[in-house]
Amino acid sequence: QITLKESGPTLVKPTQTLTLTCTFSGFSLTTTGVGVGWIRQPPGKALEWLALIFWDDDKRYSPSLKSRLTITKDTSKNQVVLTMTNMDPVDTATYFCAHKTTFSSASFDPWGQGTLVTVSS
Amino acid sequence: QSVLTQPPSASGTPGQRVTLSCSGSSSSIGGNTVSWYQQLPGTAPKLLIYSNNQRPSGVPDRFSGSKSGTSASLAISGLQSEDEADYYCAAWDDSLNGYVVFGGGTKLTVL
């Protein structure tokens, strides 16, 4: 059974850097085709894909947020970390991590429960 | 940066068949497979369809997907009250070094 869980601060101040950790079990990020992605959802709004890291350490980012995002993995700890710099109130959202299946690069299953991050001074 | 276009809302009555649409471009849907997600209120999204028309185990066969050119569709037959949710399409986009793009979502109401 694959499970993922996001952890990190619930409140950050504007201009600060957000660091979120996704801790997973039930799969290995060394298995060919596997990846972990981050997706966020502002309250009442649509899903927005942020970043994806593949088993071979290939990394892809949302073009509109690329300059602010860094995704890394620690295969020994079964963790993926996302950092987002220069946080702004518009970045208030629930942040999800998800297991990318081997079927396609836009196929995420399952997802973590999500963690709500509020950006406010 | 491209996005996938979905109608913001749709509705149907119990037992009816409804079809949700998702429009993309040649670099997204036109050249890659489409996934669909169901998000019930207050929960994380759930994968409903992958590779255009494949259902993960456990997803009822009332849900079916299709793709033609730069558009995709999700059909729900025998509509049930528990199908009331937000539905999102997603695809890989080959431009700008490659990235994932989601649609804006369709809120399905069961009348």
Side-chain angles (χ1 to χ4, degrees):
Chain A
Q1 179 192 6
I2 293 175
T3 64
L4 307 97
K5 188 171 184 179
E6 307 85 354
S7 59
T10 58
L11 179 66
V12 298
K13 289 179 167 42
T15 75
Q16 285 187 335
T17 294
L18 172 69
T19 299
L20 294 172
T21 300
C22 176
T23 303
F24 58 85
S25 64
F27 69 96
S28 171
L29 246 183
T30 61
T31 301
T32 299
V34 171
V36 171
W38 285 94
I39 304 99
R40 71 178 179 180
Q41 185 172 39
K45 296 190 176 181
L47 300 172
E48 179 183 19
W49 177 79
L50 300 176
L52 174 59
I53 189 164
F54 293 86
W55 80 101
D56 59 357
D57 209 38
D58 187 10
K59 302 166 186 178
R60 304 300 170 97
Y61 297 99
S62 165
S64 62
L65 294 168
K66 184 175 182 177
S67 64
R68 299 173 53 204
L69 295 173
T70 303
I71 189 170
T72 60
K73 62 182 173 68
D74 185 332
T75 53
S76 66
K77 293 183 179 179
N78 279 353
Q79 290 181 335
V80 170
V81 175
L82 180 77
T83 61
M84 180 179 290
T85 61
N86 195 25
M87 294 292 284
D88 183 272
V90 300
D91 297 312
T92 294
T94 296
Y95 287 75
F96 298 97
C97 65
H99 165 260
K100 187 203 81 68
T101 74
T102 56
F103 304 129
S104 81
S105 292
S107 176
F108 297 98
D109 181 44
W111 296 48
Q113 63 188 25
T115 185
L116 176 61
V117 178
T118 301
V119 184
S120 174
S121 55
Chain B
Q1 180 171 353
S2 71
V3 295
L4 303 181
T5 302
Q6 298 182 252
S9 64
S11 63
T13 55
Q16 196 176 16
R17 173 185 169 95
V18 297
T19 301
L20 310 182
S21 64
C22 173
S23 177
S25 65
S26 57
S27 61
S28 59
I29 294 178
N32 297 283
T33 61
V34 178
S35 298
W36 288 90
Y37 298 88
Q38 177 192 59
Q39 187 177 31
L40 299 171
T43 69
K46 169 190 168 185
L47 180 66
L48 212 56
I49 295 288
Y50 65 91
S51 297
N52 303 327
N53 55 18
Q54 301 299 303
R55 286 185 307 276
S57 61
V59 173
D61 59 7
R62 302 187 296 105
F63 295 90
S64 61
S66 64
K67 181 187 117 170
S68 178
T70 59
S71 294
S73 296
L74 173 71
I76 309 172
S77 60
L79 196 62
Q80 301 178 2
S81 57
E82 55 260 41
D83 297 333
E84 185 161 294
D86 294 323
Y87 292 85
Y88 295 91
C89 57
W92 184 259
D93 192 299
D94 292 321
S95 65
L96 300 174
N97 201 39
Y99 61 98
V100 176
V101 60
F102 277 88
T106 296
K107 180 171 181 56
L108 175 63
T109 301
V110 181
L111 302 169

